[in-house]
Amino acid sequence: QVQLQESGPGLMNPSETLSLTCTVSGGSISSYYWSWIRQPAGKGLDWIGRIYTSGSTDYNPSLKSRVTISVDTSKNQFSLKLSSMTAADTAVYYCAREGAVTGHYFDYWGQGTLVTVSS
Amino acid sequence: DIQMTQSPSSLSASVGDRVTITCRASQSINSNLHWYQQKPGKAPKLLIYAASNLQSGVPSRFSGSGSGTDFTLTISSLQPEDFATYYCQQSYNSPRTFGQGTKLEIK
């Protein structure tokens, strides 16, 4: 059974750069897209971006100037960096798997990690 | 970006009721539409993919239909564990976008 687990700081200061890692277990990271999705408290889901295991990336234009997603296939991990954090970036951050061949839907999700931006 | 609009935004229903949630895309997305269920404090769970395909392990009381711009999620007979928030999501192009959610509450 594939499992995803986010890790990273829960509290950030404004203007800092967020770094989150998603560790994939129970299956290979190869041949899938891996996404970051966030959800502010009480609100809907926002797709941040994704990476394919080849390293090609695709970002939401609304965040593109501040986002970097990378992958380390040797560790079965992928990571998110989001710069210039503000209170508006406070949210639960999820990592998720999207199929590349079988279908472009998010079939596995991490449990989510709450990131709070506050001074 | 493709805008996804769900209706209603909230819905009160009783156990045993048949419930339908609608999702409309701002342009045609063929059948690239998926439905998720989210309970408080939990990650979303895939229910239906490619508009009408039931994800493995999901009860058969859930069904999906539609193509192009209009889609529906139907729960044939509500069970207590179905009270949650439901989201549609398009994968026709990037950025991936979600509907605003439909909160299904107990009447």
Side-chain angles (χ1 to χ4, degrees):
Chain A
Q1 176 78 343
V2 175
Q3 293 184 314
L4 286 71
Q5 178 68 58
E6 304 91 350
S7 58
L11 183 62
M12 304 281 299
N13 291 313
S15 80
E16 288 185 333
T17 295
L18 172 67
S19 291
L20 294 177
T21 295
C22 183
T23 301
V24 180
S25 60
S28 174
I29 200 170
S30 297
S31 303
Y32 288 96
Y33 290 99
W34 301 93
S35 282
W36 289 97
I37 297 161
R38 69 181 184 180
Q39 185 173 38
K43 297 189 177 181
L45 298 160
D46 291 326
W47 181 78
I48 299 169
R50 67 179 183 174
I51 190 165
Y52 189 64
T53 46
S54 65
S56 65
T57 54
D58 185 11
Y59 300 138
N60 193 321
S62 67
L63 294 168
K64 188 172 183 177
S65 64
R66 299 196 290 133
V67 173
T68 303
I69 299 176
S70 59
V71 65
D72 186 338
T73 54
S74 67
K75 295 182 178 179
N76 254 30
Q77 293 178 334
F78 63 106
S79 300
L80 167 71
K81 290 189 185 299
L82 182 62
S83 64
S84 305
M85 295 280 282
T86 72
D89 295 311
T90 294
V92 174
Y93 285 73
Y94 295 101
C95 56
R97 187 182 85 168
E98 177 184 331
V101 176
T102 54
H104 291 270
Y105 42 84
F106 302 113
D107 57 354
Y108 289 98
W109 296 66
Q111 65 184 23
T113 187
L114 174 62
V115 176
T116 302
V117 183
S118 175
S119 56
Chain B
D1 298 6
I2 296 175
Q3 305 302 315
M4 307 300 295
T5 304
Q6 290 181 231
S7 60
S9 294
S10 64
L11 175 59
S12 293
S14 301
V15 173
D17 283 354
R18 180 183 180 90
V19 166
T20 297
I21 298 169
T22 297
C23 178
R24 175 165 289 175
S26 59
Q27 66 177 75
S28 177
I29 57 171
N30 297 331
S31 295
N32 296 291
L33 187 285
H34 321 296
W35 290 98
Y36 302 85
Q37 176 194 67
Q38 187 179 34
K39 296 182 178 180
K42 299 294 186 182
K45 172 188 172 183
L46 177 67
L47 297 177
I48 301 285
Y49 63 91
S52 61
N53 296 277
L54 194 66
Q55 173 68 345
S56 176
V58 174
S60 59
R61 62 181 179 272
F62 291 92
S63 64
S65 65
S67 66
T69 60
D70 294 316
F71 302 87
T72 59
L73 172 70
T74 299
I75 310 172
S76 61
S77 178
L78 274 174
Q79 297 302 299
E81 60 268 29
D82 300 337
F83 291 94
T85 300
Y86 293 84
Y87 293 94
C88 61
Q89 176 246 326
Q90 65 82 19
S91 62
Y92 180 77
N93 65 12
S94 285
R96 303 314 198 207
T97 48
F98 293 84
Q100 81 279 15
T102 295
K103 187 173 184 179
L104 180 52
E105 298 175 306
I106 301 173
K107 183 182 288 185

